């Protein structure tokens, strides 16, 4: 895999790789205490959590992996259903010696976080779902089939050819159009980092696989949802993005849900509204 310069890490954090069931998973780790796992979403990598890492490291061992197919993790041919991706993270957590964690996921990461909690409920203390949706739960197709969210169906040979060499144009759509204010969205430096990460080593193909597998995820999540989860959930959503939709979905899959709508924010919660989001996460996870 091609190597590019890594962004600086907060003090006390290191970046490592682990082999989990034959797949190399890259992760950032630091702090001491109970484990919290931070799972990024599409168009980003584990780097998105950088502003949050110092706060959580004062009370937790913080583990921020690059999901299968993203960042510096391996891009295998398959395994992009969220059940399997959750098993990647579970294998990593066990290798690191933790038998109970708190899970935080944004976007695609929230789907992996839910799949982790549903498969290993006795090993999860709390769950945070940040702005996206749960396939297979409630009126999920109202989001999946929404005209403006065409990217859920944009994968395969022709889409890959169309974005080759134009990765930045493609991702700018997400960072600009899904923000409440594109000038307060993902920073230019971070945009360059994410484009470089996805543009190399089959990263675009791997990212498209997250969407190709949403129908399978819907089947899996519908089965999971038959058993409500008991651990505390926090659903954080952007006022100009998921709004009440994800909060309502969370209440269908869990019995102890707190919903918070982040005022003035679009989809990129930590980038757009750090002053609201970081304290909310810190207070819930303590």
């Amino acid at each position: 895999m091609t190597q590019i310069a890594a962004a600086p890490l907060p003090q006390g954090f290191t970046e490592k790789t682990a082999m989990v069931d034959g797949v190399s998973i890259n992760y950032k780790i630091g702090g001491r205490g109970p484990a919290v796992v931070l799972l990024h979403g599409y168009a980003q990598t584990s780097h998105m959590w950088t502003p949050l890492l110092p706060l959580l490291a004062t009370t937790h061992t913080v583990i921020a992996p690059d999901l299968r197919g993203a960042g510096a993790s391996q891009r295998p041919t398959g395994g992009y259903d969220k059940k399997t991706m959750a098993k990647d993270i579970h294998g990593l957590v066990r290798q690191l010696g933790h038998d109970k964690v708190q899970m935080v996921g944004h976007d695609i990461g929230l789907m992996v976080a839910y799949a982790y909690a549903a498969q290993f409920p006795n090993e999860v203390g709390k769950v945070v779902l940040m702005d996206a949706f749960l396939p297979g739960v409630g009126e999920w197709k109202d989001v999946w089939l929404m005209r403006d969210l065409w990217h859920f169906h944009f994968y395969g040979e022709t889409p890959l050819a169309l974005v080759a060499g134009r990765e930045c144009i493609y991702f700018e759509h997400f960072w600009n159009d899904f923000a409440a204010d594109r000038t307060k969205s993902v920073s230019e430096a971070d945009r360059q980092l994410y484009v470089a990460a996805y543009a190399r080593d089959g990263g675009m193909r791997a990212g498209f696989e997250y969407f190709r597998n949403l129908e399978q995820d819907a089947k899996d999540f519908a089965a999971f949802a038959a058993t409500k989860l008991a651990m505390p959930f926090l659903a954080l959503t952007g006022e100009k993005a998921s709004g009440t939709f994800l909060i309502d979905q969370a209440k269908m899959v869990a019995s102890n849900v707190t919903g918070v709508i982040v005022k003035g924010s679009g989809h990129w919660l930590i980038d757009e509204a750090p002053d609201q989001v970081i304290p909310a996460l810190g207070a819930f996870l303590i």
Side-chain angles (χ1 to χ4, degrees), residues 11-12 30 35 48 69 71 74 94 118 137 151 155 161 222 231 236 249 267:
Q11 185 174 358
M48 67 162 284
Q74 191 174 339
R94 283 306 187 98
V137 176
H151 62 277
Y155 49 77
M231 74 283 290
L236 278 176
Q249 282 193 311
H267 178 65

Side-chain angles (χ1 to χ4, degrees), residues 57 118 134 160 163 235 255 261 264:
L134 293 168
L160 280 172
V163 301
S255 56
I261 296 176

Side-chain angles (χ1 to χ4, degrees), residues 53-247:
L53 299 181
L55 171 66
L56 291 187
T58 62
T59 52
H60 292 79
T61 297
V62 185
I63 305 164
D66 288 331
L67 296 173
R68 169 188 295 245
S73 289
Q74 191 174 339
R75 290 113 155 88
T77 303
Y80 294 93
D81 63 279
K82 309 314 174 289
K83 277 179 65 173
T84 298
M85 293 173 70
K87 290 175 182 175
D88 291 342
I89 306 306
H90 183 256
L92 172 64
V93 165
R94 283 306 187 98
Q95 280 193 34
L96 295 175
H98 300 281
D99 56 14
K100 192 150 191 174
V101 297
Q102 298 179 357
M103 301 296 302
V104 181
H106 176 249
D107 187 78
I108 293 294
L110 80 77
M111 301 178 192
V112 181
Y114 172 63
Y116 190 115
Q119 291 178 98
F120 312 106
N122 295 328
E123 300 177 33
V124 178
K126 295 180 180 179
V127 179
V128 182
L129 308 178
M130 295 174 60
D131 206 85
F133 74 106
L134 293 168
V137 176
E139 300 301 320
W140 70 281
K141 287 187 178 180
D142 289 353
V143 175
W144 184 58
L145 297 176
M146 191 178 295
R147 181 193 61 191
D148 292 345
L149 302 183
W150 51 264
H151 62 277
F152 291 144
H153 314 280
F154 188 76
Y155 49 77
E157 183 178 350
T158 299
L160 280 172
L162 288 170
V163 301
R166 305 179 185 91
E167 294 87 0
C168 187
I169 295 172
Y170 171 73
F171 284 124
E172 292 278 357
H173 159 62
F174 294 86
W175 297 322
N176 292 340
D177 297 346
F178 297 163
D181 179 348
R182 65 177 59 191
T183 67
K184 297 177 182 178
S185 181
V186 177
S187 72
E188 183 59 34
D190 286 355
R191 292 179 185 212
Q192 293 179 18
L193 184 151
Y194 297 139
V195 167
Y198 280 88
R200 71 182 195 273
D201 300 324
M204 295 303 293
R205 177 199 62 79
F208 286 171
E209 289 299 309
Y210 300 148
F211 304 130
R212 187 196 297 272
N213 280 272
L214 288 178
E215 285 183 274
Q216 180 59 50
D217 298 330
K219 296 174 184 176
D220 294 335
F221 284 20
F224 289 155
T227 303
K228 276 198 170 185
L229 298 176
M231 74 283 290
F233 270 62
L234 172 64
L236 278 176
T237 67
E239 180 184 14
K240 308 297 184 181
S242 294
T244 60
F245 190 85
L246 176 63
I247 296 171

